[in-house]
Amino acid sequence: MSRGYFEEFGGRFVPETLMPALDELEEVYLELKDDPKFINQLKSLLADYSGRPTSLYYAEQLTKHYGGAKIYLKREDLNHTGAHKINNTLGQILLAKKMGKKRIIAETGAGQHGVATATVAARFNLDCEIYMGAEDIERQALNVYKMEMLGAEVIPVTSGTQTLKDATNEAIRDWVTNVEDTHYIIGSVVGPHPYPEMVRDFQRIIGDETKRQIKEKEGRLPDYILACVGGGSNAMGIFYPFVEDKEVKLVGIEASGKGIDSGQHAATLTAGRVGVLHGSKSYLLQDDGGQIIPAYSISAGLDYPGVGPEHSYLKTIERVDYQSATDMEAVAAFKLLSEKEGIIPALESSHALSYLEKLAPELDQDQIIVVNLSGRGDKDINNFKKIREAEKDE
Amino acid sequence: MNKITAQFENKNPLVTYISGGDPSLEMTEKLIYKLQAEGVDIIELGIPFSDPLADGPVIQEASQRALKAGTTLKKLIAKVNQIQDQVEVPLVLMGYYNSVLNYGEKEFARDISEAGISGVIIPDLPVDEKAELSEHLADYGISQIMLVTPNTSDQRLKEITAKSSGFLYCVAHLGTTGDDKQGVYPGLENYLQRVRKTAGDLPLGLGFGIDGPEKVKKIIDYPDGIIIGSALIKAIQTGNTEAEMLDNAGEFVSNIKQAMIEEN
């Protein structure tokens, strides 16, 4: 069995209690991955339950606005539950059923992964508990109601910074305690092996579809693909099928919050150092003594001090260019897409959109940019309302 | 024979855990003296970490108090170095891999060796991860105490016991530190028998959820030594002053020792 490394990044840095569960998960995953019955079951769920393929939409108005490259949006926001997260939770719930697990746990930041997990747990009739930072519960109230409506229990996490990092700690502690009957659905390409690889494989459908769709529409591959990076699952999903296509430039956009210099950001690859958190070796926001520095971003889904190990690898080999966008840049992009295209994007995805401001006008009109619109922004409306009020006060 | 294994000669040692720097390194020093005076045989010092995912609430909070006081791994090692002549029992550092990685694996082994530390426990560094740390620890003659759990396979037991030195840390049940809700551990005797078959002469220490004398009496027949952390920290924390805290630590340990003797 592979040890789950992307060169020096990845691995399994977890308590011994979890090793049998990770072995079992890896074994079942490797077995099912090429099993036609599993593949068909997942395919039909993705099609009929979630509504795939999601469209690749030519954003004509946004293209006109910037006056440069043609801009396409990969509409992951059109998935059932409103984000790409369900691609992964559908895959993992089938694995959980196969392993005979009775109970599902998950961590969530923005609540999108929590909703996607609660949804599939309801559909497949498994008990479900979602760990969510108390601060995020406040920020993302709508998603909390949704999870509860779906029959999941949302457990507020009050330790540490009360955000995604701490929700992940609590989920791991729960898993250590209940490992025999519980499957932990990690929501991103993070955690111990086999999660980073497995979640990427469940998310690569985004990139596979994009490749087919852009060839149909344009007869060629795009020049750029942009995606936001927190843990990095939507980015890995759209990037992965293009990694070997060297002519396609891949840009991951992290959240630089109030600015890298302010210290209040979540730009792990831009400003972090290599370390170990939540079971894998990757870039991390940490202080001189190796303590994890709390991340900050206006978007709860990017508010994470770590990043998937494969992203660290792609950074090291310089295959992906990692940039960052501030809260204010993301908010401006959020407004712009809503106004120009009638599409309200998630604040997470707005970080990727904001990079168009720098990139699109610099390119020729026959060049093509694809932006992964990883989720829709309903959940952020309250948050946005607060920002608007704050702006008025100034 | 190394200093840790020697503590298992002709007795069942009591191993206790406190978080280094909780609530200050001065208090840690005083607690070390108190614990050894009361007959603790091996002292584990926790390296405080912001995200201790194998630990329950008691040690999480202890870790937070230590961090708030400005404790770093560097300062902790320096403190131990400074007091090493007054410490008679073996000291073991327990902490998370990121702390060691950040310090530098070789530098860590060198500096703790100079500080007179006898062993290291890293709960999130399983036997499969080929960290350089093991080689450096071996170079300096420091024991790497590995953990096994009730669900560890026989194959893994072999690999883990082959790499573990000092003793083998047998986690009593599936869970985090300080989790005592399972009461008496189901299948403990069989579990430890299975481990012993593979571990051979390597002594077995049992820990996680041992919350007081009553529990000690029920389990003392099976392992070679017992490890207590959260329950001791809880007892210390009920004190309002430093003197009370030290008294509480002393009383807790003497009650445990008493229970160990009564049953044997």
Side-chain angles (χ1 to χ4, degrees), chain A residues 133-148:
Chain A
E135 188 180 314
D136 290 338
I137 286 181
E138 190 93 345
R139 284 195 283 189
Q140 306 285 343
L142 181 63
N143 275 340
V144 176
Y145 295 136
K146 279 190 195 167
M147 286 184 269
E148 287 171 352

Side-chain angles (χ1 to χ4, degrees), chain A residues 51-353:
Chain A
R52 300 204 75 91
T54 58
S55 62
L56 183 67
Y57 166 70
Y58 171 48
E60 195 178 354
Q61 299 307 313
L62 198 61
T63 300
K64 267 188 203 153
H65 171 79
Y66 288 121
K70 283 181 90 166
I71 298 164
Y72 282 88
L73 304 177
K74 179 58 175 165
R75 297 290 308 275
E76 288 301 298
D77 60 316
L78 296 178
N79 271 301
H80 182 40
T81 73
H84 71 292
K85 293 291 185 188
I86 195 142
N87 302 331
N88 169 46
T89 59
L90 278 171
Q92 285 201 46
I93 200 88
L94 295 181
L95 296 182
K97 284 299 252 192
K98 175 81 179 178
M99 292 186 288
K101 303 289 182 183
K102 305 271 179 280
R103 178 173 173 265
I104 295 296
I105 55 169
E107 84 295 338
T108 196
Q112 292 301 98
H113 173 57
V115 169
T117 301
T119 297
V120 298
R123 166 65 183 76
F124 287 90
N125 195 28
L126 291 175
D127 290 343
C128 180
E129 287 173 37
I130 307 287
Y131 288 91
M132 189 167 186
E135 188 180 314
D136 290 338
I137 286 181
E138 190 93 345
R139 284 195 283 189
Q140 306 285 343
L142 181 63
N143 275 340
V144 176
Y145 295 136
K146 279 190 195 167
M147 286 184 269
E148 287 171 352
M149 181 70 72
L150 292 160
E153 192 182 334
V154 179
I155 303 173
V157 175
T158 52
S159 59
T161 54
Q162 313 192 0
T163 61
L164 181 54
K165 149 182 106 80
D166 309 283
T168 308
N169 289 338
E170 279 311 318
I172 292 174
R173 289 180 188 123
D174 180 314
W175 202 29
V176 167
T177 310
N178 301 295
V179 64
E180 288 176 320
D181 70 348
T182 299
H183 175 62
Y184 176 18
I185 300 189
I186 294 185
S188 192
V189 287
V190 300
H193 176 67
Y195 283 101
E197 203 176 303
M198 181 178 75
V199 176
R200 175 202 71 203
D201 288 350
F202 287 138
Q203 291 294 359
R204 67 168 290 169
I205 191 166
I206 307 171
D208 286 333
E209 285 178 6
T210 301
K211 197 178 240 187
R212 202 174 61 234
Q213 291 166 322
I214 197 73
K215 277 185 187 162
E216 279 165 19
K217 288 176 193 289
E218 295 283 347
R220 68 177 184 91
L221 298 181
D223 298 285
Y224 284 86
I225 297 177
L226 312 183
C228 65
V229 178
S233 69
N234 88 82
M236 262 334 292
I238 197 165
F239 290 166
Y240 188 64
F242 291 93
V243 165
E244 298 302 321
D245 301 311
K246 297 282 149 73
E247 70 273 30
V248 181
K249 296 186 182 65
L250 307 174
V251 186
I253 293 101
E254 297 190 301
S256 53
K258 297 181 177 170
I260 303 275
D261 295 338
S262 74
Q264 289 187 288
H265 63 81
T268 310
L269 289 162
T270 311
R273 282 190 295 123
V274 177
V276 168
L277 178 68
H278 297 150
S280 57
K281 192 189 263 190
S282 193
Y283 274 81
L284 272 188
L285 297 178
Q286 56 180 326
D287 68 15
D288 291 343
Q291 307 298 338
I292 309 307
I293 300 173
Y296 163 81
S297 167
I298 191 171
S299 100
L302 302 181
D303 196 344
Y304 184 66
V307 66
E310 197 166 4
H311 281 293
S312 292
Y313 166 68
L314 292 171
K315 173 193 163 80
T316 309
I317 63 166
E318 297 182 352
R319 176 62 188 96
V320 177
D321 179 20
Y322 292 93
Q323 299 284 337
S324 62
T326 63
D327 286 353
M328 293 325 289
E329 288 168 332
V331 168
F334 178 96
K335 280 188 204 168
L336 186 72
L337 192 72
S338 304
E339 288 165 12
K340 294 286 173 198
E341 295 286 352
I343 298 170
I344 301 175
L347 273 174
E348 289 76 14
S349 323
S350 301
H351 285 75
L353 290 165

Side-chain angles (χ1 to χ4, degrees), chain B residues 10-204:
Chain B
N10 306 318
K11 68 175 172 212
N12 293 134
L14 171 61
V15 185
T16 59
Y17 171 103
I18 52 174
S19 279
D22 167 28
S24 68
L25 284 168
E26 291 64 39
M27 187 62 178
T28 299
E29 177 180 355
K30 288 177 192 166
L31 278 167
I32 291 171
Y33 300 151
K34 185 76 183 177
L35 293 171
Q36 71 176 9
E38 294 292 339
V40 167
D41 303 288
I42 298 170
I43 298 174
E44 288 178 17
L45 294 175
I47 304 167
F49 183 49
S50 54
D51 295 81
L53 50 76
D55 286 304
V58 173
I59 294 178
Q60 286 175 43
E61 283 160 23
S63 216
Q64 282 301 321
R65 285 191 297 269
L67 289 175
K68 227 175 235 166
T71 311
T72 62
L73 178 52
K74 217 168 230 160
K75 288 183 192 167
L76 178 59
I77 294 172
K79 179 51 129 182
V80 174
N81 195 335
Q82 177 207 327
I83 65 169
Q84 59 178 307
D85 292 341
Q86 284 86 261
V87 182
E88 287 143 22
V89 297
L91 294 180
V92 171
L93 283 187
M94 181 163 183
Y96 291 85
Y97 185 48
N98 195 57
S99 304
V100 176
L101 195 62
N102 181 72
Y103 194 96
E105 292 172 280
K106 189 176 178 183
E107 293 76 8
F108 175 75
R110 181 196 64 206
D111 292 356
I112 66 172
S113 158
E114 279 173 18
I117 287 163
S118 308
V120 168
I121 306 172
I122 314 281
D124 64 343
L125 186 62
V127 69
D128 329 60
E129 293 304 332
K130 309 260 182 297
E132 290 170 30
L133 180 65
S134 305
E135 290 161 39
H136 297 308
L137 291 175
D139 285 348
Y140 286 98
I142 294 163
S143 297
Q144 186 175 6
I145 297 157
M146 308 284 293
L147 297 96
V148 297
T149 54
N151 60 351
T152 303
S153 68
D154 288 340
Q155 178 55 40
R156 288 187 64 79
L157 266 180
K158 260 186 225 160
E159 292 164 29
I160 295 167
T161 49
K163 203 163 163 187
S164 191
S165 56
F167 66 91
L168 188 64
Y169 194 133
C170 302
V171 175
H173 60 72
L174 306 181
T176 51
T177 56
D179 174 3
D180 54 9
K181 59 176 178 267
Q182 302 194 14
V184 179
Y185 314 111
L188 181 67
E189 191 177 357
N190 287 342
Y191 162 44
L192 291 184
Q193 267 172 8
R194 183 170 73 92
V195 174
R196 200 181 291 284
K197 240 183 250 166
T198 310
D201 291 339
L202 192 63
L204 308 185

Side-chain angles (χ1 to χ4, degrees), chain B residues 1-15:
Chain B
M1 182 179 300
N2 81 42
K3 212 176 158 188
I4 295 173
T5 314
Q7 293 295 76
F8 286 81
E9 285 290 290
N10 306 318
K11 68 175 172 212
N12 293 134
L14 171 61
V15 185

